[in-house]
Amino acid sequence: MSRRALRRLRGEQRGQEGPGLGELGLGLDPGPERAREGGPPPATGKGPRGPPRAAVSNRFELIPAEESEDEAGEEWPDTDTRLSEQDTAGGSPEGSRDSSKGGAVTPSETDGDGQREGQEAEQPDRTLATSNKPRKKKKKRKTKKNSAGETVEDNDLEDIESLLERIEEPRLAPQSQGGVSTDSRPLLYVEHRNLNPENELKRYFGARAVLGDQRPRQRQRQYVRSMWLTAPKNTWPRYSKTGITMQLLDTRRGVQHFTFEHHREYQQVQFKFLDAVESMDPNNIVLLLQMNPYHVDSLLQLSDVCRMQEDQEMARDLIERALYSLECAFHPVFSLTSGACRLDYRRPENRAFFLALFKHLMFLEKRGCPRTALEFCKLILSLDPENDPLCVLLLIDFLSLRAREYTFLTRLFQEWESHRNLSQLPNFAFSVPLAYFFLSQQEERPELERSQARERAARLIQLALIMFPSVLMPLLDHCSVQPDARVASHPFFGLNAQISQSPALNQLTSLYVGRTHALWKDPAVMAWLEPHVHEVLRMVDARDALVQEAEHKRKIRYQSAPRNIYRHIILSEMKEATAALPLEVTSQPVMGFDPLPPLDSIVSYTRPERTSHPSNESTLSLFFRSLLPNFNLQGDIRHDGDDEAGAAQDLNQGVNRLMAAMRDMLANIQFQEPPRDDNPEGDGDWD
């Protein structure tokens, strides 16, 4: 006979001696009462879907196998509490009856062999089922974690912008009262999220179109350092310390002044770079970058070479690598967003950062990201707003109009007009009324604000036409608009207005027309401009005092342009403005890594003198060596006294005369062709 049959004959059952369970009671139906108490339903049968079971001998069967993880986590403490109450209740009938509500039945109250036999027969299957339940719980929990983790990873990149907005909300919450959150922040406040062009492209085209298949690649990216100015790429060489650091010089009136510094090893690389530039061979710069892949000036110079060769992608990549190298050298307290950190352009170490930012924003504007380019323009202006070494004020109005940041442009004009005289620049004189006109066209604004914007636009555009009459006709010409007979024949806007203006003013007007003429092509803009042109002609015919005052200002001012305007025109590469540059600017060599350096530069280290050549070098040897691009006669001569200096000057003049004579001789050499014989066969006969 089997052991189960023997136990039936003896009246025994498995699990009698289970400690801590109390006495098993009868299998009553405690469903309604348990529902009122908030406990889990009793475990009956082999599972929650099986036939009803008479009694329960295992406490873990109180937990249904198919309940969800959240419900199980909430009901487990209640179940343990009820089981502990059963242990303290003892074997009294009242306690047993109360404990039967928790799903446990004591063995002393079992009647009949039917209940014992049913319990014994189902005990092995029940034990097997309960032993697998905790394992099943863990597996479900793990699966849920994995699935949740994958969801977070998939949505991580799409939620970056929302997370940044959530972080900045508490910081800007007090400023958002009354709807003046933008005006209460500093004028040159820079937002980190607007420095990333991908955020702007995602607003235009969506995250899926911009990111594409970049998500799995970003998980395997070897660069873990987060940057604000640019994102490192897997194709770049591994970054190592280049020898550039940033130091805090001083703090005055809440403004911190910083400067970049070059260590000795970086200075040696800089000297090699200058030699490579003088060789006029880009391959030498490429070789230098292979040894020093994050040398900033080499990256800037080679970027210009690639851009001239129509390799825009490589040129942009080199500029981003230069920005990455400089950002890795930032001081811990240097802030891009505060607008209170300054860099002096007179120091050669700081110029690379200005130039890299400017060239980067030009690439961003061509790429179709004017909002990001505007943010970089504000960053450049915040580094030195008093001197503005790259004269980004000539560019910031155009980027504001393209990015439709009309409120920022009007606010800049209102706050800086009193101490910077922005209305005396043609770009602000015409762009600010255009911004007010666009604000007056926004239907979501109140009618009062729209009417005020229209009045300001009308007043300012008339003042601009009176102050700079030479802008109108080239602007209409670029927009392919034919003016009416009155405007075309009037001398105030005619050719005389362009000829009579100074060269400096001609450069500013040519720069503005060549850059922003596309913004004036809108038919609505031309319809708004036409009546104001006729009103200005009426004022001119009436000899208004404003017209006479503007003509007097044009004659006194704009005599010569400052050096930062020339530097801006060279970097912008606008054909209309470059053609108007004076001869003293175009005649000197202009290098992409340092165009038109300031005359009052603060030099921290100098290039060592070259080794002198033997003094008994022949004149012919000097001539052939002078044909090399890096020839410098002054560097080969020792200056030990006044006599030697005079002799060196005489030798220099003699060599220059010799070279000029040799060049003339080589240019005038003519090779005579051999005489042609009309009768090649000859007159005589050959033997």
Side-chain angles (χ1 to χ4, degrees):
M1 298 177 62
S2 62
R3 293 182 180 180
R4 183 180 300 178
L6 290 174
R7 282 197 301 270
R8 290 179 182 176
L9 291 177
R10 296 173 184 173
E12 298 176 355
Q13 66 179 18
R14 293 180 60 183
Q16 273 182 330
E17 69 282 5
L21 291 177
E23 297 179 352
L24 294 175
L26 295 174
L28 302 177
D29 184 12
E33 299 179 6
R34 305 245 340 139
R36 285 192 296 270
E37 293 178 3
T44 59
K46 296 182 180 180
R49 299 181 182 178
R53 188 165 53 228
V56 175
S57 63
N58 194 331
R59 70 167 67 182
F60 295 104
E61 287 192 22
L62 298 174
I63 305 172
E66 298 296 329
E67 67 186 7
S68 63
E69 180 185 5
D70 296 336
E71 295 175 354
E74 296 175 359
E75 293 174 0
W76 281 2
D78 298 337
T79 307
D80 295 337
T81 305
R82 285 190 290 272
L83 290 174
S84 62
E85 292 176 356
Q86 295 172 12
D87 298 339
T88 57
S92 60
E94 292 82 359
S96 301
R97 192 174 298 111
D98 293 339
S99 65
S100 66
K101 298 176 183 179
V105 183
T106 59
S108 62
E109 295 180 359
T110 56
D111 291 11
D113 297 336
Q115 293 181 358
R116 274 197 299 267
E117 291 174 3
Q119 188 174 1
E120 292 173 0
E122 296 169 355
Q123 186 71 18
D125 297 336
R126 187 166 58 247
T127 305
L128 180 61
T130 56
S131 64
N132 292 331
K133 285 176 184 176
R135 190 179 306 164
K136 193 171 185 180
K137 295 287 181 184
K138 292 180 181 178
K139 185 176 181 181
K140 289 178 65 177
R141 194 178 300 116
K142 183 177 180 182
T143 303
K144 187 172 183 179
K145 284 183 180 179
N146 290 339
S147 61
E150 292 175 358
T151 305
V152 171
E153 289 176 359
D154 291 340
N155 298 332
D156 190 14
L157 296 175
E158 299 179 359
D159 295 340
I160 291 178
E161 185 176 353
S162 61
L163 289 176
L164 290 175
E165 291 177 355
R166 198 177 308 165
I167 291 173
E168 291 180 357
E169 280 177 2
R171 200 182 312 166
L172 303 177
Q175 304 173 355
S176 62
Q177 298 177 358
V180 292
S181 59
T182 304
D183 295 337
S184 58
R185 293 184 299 185
L187 179 63
L188 299 180
Y189 176 80
V190 177
E191 297 185 33
H192 278 145
R193 61 176 179 176
N194 290 330
L195 293 176
N196 188 358
E198 289 188 356
N199 293 337
E200 184 174 3
L201 293 175
K202 283 191 290 187
R203 287 195 295 268
Y204 296 154
F205 308 106
R208 187 178 299 275
V210 175
L211 297 178
D213 57 347
Q214 295 181 8
R215 296 179 184 176
R217 295 180 182 177
Q218 291 190 1
R219 297 175 191 169
Q220 302 174 0
R221 192 176 64 186
Q222 59 180 346
Y223 301 97
V224 295
R225 187 171 181 177
S226 177
M227 294 296 177
W228 291 115
L229 297 179
T230 183
K233 301 178 181 178
N234 293 334
T235 57
W236 291 357
R238 183 173 294 276
Y239 178 80
S240 60
K241 290 186 178 180
T242 59
I244 302 180
T245 58
M246 179 183 281
Q247 299 296 332
L248 175 62
L249 297 178
D250 58 353
T251 302
R252 299 190 298 267
R253 299 179 181 178
V255 178
Q256 298 172 326
H257 295 264
F258 296 86
T259 182
F260 285 98
E261 291 185 353
H262 293 172
H263 291 176
R264 183 175 299 274
E265 59 272 13
Y266 192 89
Q267 294 178 11
Q268 299 299 324
V269 179
Q270 187 73 12
F271 299 150
K272 295 179 181 178
F273 164 73
L274 295 177
D275 293 339
V277 171
E278 290 182 358
S279 68
M280 305 300 290
D281 187 1
N283 294 324
N284 294 333
I285 302 178
V286 175
L287 294 176
L288 183 62
L289 278 176
Q290 291 178 357
M291 302 298 297
N292 306 274
Y294 287 95
H295 183 254
V296 179
D297 287 348
S298 298
L299 293 170
L300 296 178
Q301 188 68 28
L302 191 60
S303 175
D304 288 347
V305 175
C306 294
R307 186 169 44 79
M308 293 177 184
Q309 296 176 355
E310 302 298 331
D311 192 354
Q312 302 292 335
E313 187 67 23
M314 178 58 68
R316 180 164 59 90
D317 186 79
L318 293 173
I319 294 297
E320 292 179 359
R321 200 197 301 182
L323 284 176
Y324 176 74
S325 177
L326 291 170
E327 189 174 2
C328 290
F330 278 178
H331 193 275
V333 298
F334 183 80
S335 175
L336 296 172
T337 61
S338 63
C341 297
R342 301 289 185 265
L343 288 174
D344 194 349
Y345 192 81
R346 294 177 300 172
R347 298 181 179 270
E349 297 88 348
N350 298 336
R351 296 171 194 168
F353 188 54
F354 283 90
L355 296 172
L357 289 175
F358 188 89
K359 294 182 179 183
H360 184 57
L361 75 86
M362 296 300 293
F363 281 117
L364 290 173
E365 191 273 329
K366 294 177 182 178
R367 190 182 175 187
C369 300
R371 184 65 185 88
T372 309
L374 174 63
E375 212 69 14
F376 275 92
C377 191
K378 291 162 58 178
L379 175 58
I380 297 175
L381 188 59
S382 68
L383 295 177
D384 195 356
E386 291 80 12
N387 300 316
D388 191 12
L390 299 185
C391 205
V392 293
L393 283 176
L394 299 178
L395 175 65
I396 197 169
D397 62 296
F398 167 68
L399 296 177
S400 301
L401 292 175
R402 279 210 58 193
R404 301 183 180 180
E405 293 291 330
Y406 311 126
T407 305
F408 167 76
L409 180 58
T410 56
R411 182 190 173 193
L412 176 65
F413 180 77
Q414 293 172 2
E415 294 186 9
W416 284 26
E417 168 62 18
S418 59
H419 65 282
R420 298 296 291 269
N421 292 327
L422 297 182
S423 60
Q424 303 305 307
L425 294 175
N427 58 313
F428 272 93
F430 282 88
S431 294
V432 172
L434 185 60
Y436 276 117
F437 169 73
F438 286 136
L439 287 175
S440 66
Q441 301 298 311
Q442 296 179 355
E443 298 180 355
E444 64 272 11
R445 291 184 175 273
E447 184 60 31
L448 179 61
E449 293 184 7
R450 296 176 60 185
S451 61
Q452 293 177 353
R454 280 193 294 268
E455 294 176 359
R456 293 178 181 176
R459 177 172 54 86
L460 292 177
I461 192 60
Q462 292 178 12
L463 292 177
L465 290 171
I466 293 174
M467 187 65 192
F468 305 104
S470 60
V471 175
L472 179 63
M473 299 307 292
L475 183 62
L476 296 178
D477 186 32
H478 279 75
C479 296
S480 302
V481 175
Q482 183 68 26
D484 56 12
R486 183 189 178 191
V487 176
S489 60
H490 203 284
F492 186 73
F493 292 119
L495 186 61
N496 186 30
Q498 303 178 31
I499 298 176
S500 61
Q501 66 182 0
S502 62
L505 183 57
N506 185 27
Q507 295 161 13
L508 295 177
T509 56
S510 301
L511 181 66
Y512 177 74
V513 172
R515 176 175 285 161
T516 61
H517 64 87
L519 300 174
W520 293 82
K521 288 185 177 181
D522 190 356
V525 175
M526 284 297 169
W528 162 73
L529 179 64
E530 183 178 2
H532 298 298
V533 173
H534 288 284
E535 178 64 21
V536 169
L537 290 180
R538 186 194 64 79
M539 296 172 64
V540 171
D541 295 338
R543 298 184 179 274
D544 194 286
L546 288 176
V547 179
Q548 305 297 329
E549 182 182 358
E551 184 178 359
H552 180 68
K553 289 181 180 179
R554 287 196 303 271
K555 290 181 179 180
I556 297 178
R557 303 173 182 175
Y558 313 107
Q559 295 299 322
S560 61
R563 200 171 180 85
N564 61 341
I565 292 182
Y566 293 149
R567 195 178 296 122
H568 177 88
I569 294 175
I570 291 174
L571 292 174
S572 300
E573 296 183 351
M574 299 296 300
K575 296 180 180 179
E576 295 82 359
T578 306
L581 286 175
L583 183 61
E584 60 268 16
V585 176
T586 57
S587 60
Q588 57 181 323
V590 178
M591 298 299 177
F593 67 95
D594 191 9
L596 296 182
L599 301 178
D600 55 346
S601 299
I602 302 176
V603 181
S604 58
Y605 64 93
T606 57
R607 186 179 179 184
E609 296 182 359
R610 298 187 177 185
T611 57
S612 59
H613 292 272
S615 57
N616 56 357
E617 190 174 6
S618 64
T619 305
L620 186 60
S621 176
L622 280 175
F623 167 72
F624 284 111
R625 200 158 54 83
S626 67
L627 299 179
L628 298 176
N630 58 351
F631 173 72
N632 184 11
L633 183 62
Q634 296 295 336
D636 300 337
I637 300 173
R638 300 176 183 177
H639 302 277
D640 296 334
D642 296 337
D643 297 339
E644 293 185 3
Q649 184 176 4
D650 295 340
L651 178 60
N652 188 13
Q653 294 177 357
V655 171
N656 289 335
R657 287 194 297 268
L658 176 61
M659 288 191 300
M662 293 290 291
R663 289 192 183 100
D664 293 339
M665 182 185 67
L666 294 175
N668 295 328
I669 290 178
Q670 296 181 358
F671 296 96
Q672 295 183 357
E673 296 182 359
R676 296 181 58 185
D677 193 356
D678 295 336
N679 189 8
E681 297 181 357
D683 297 335
D685 297 333
W686 291 91
D687 295 336

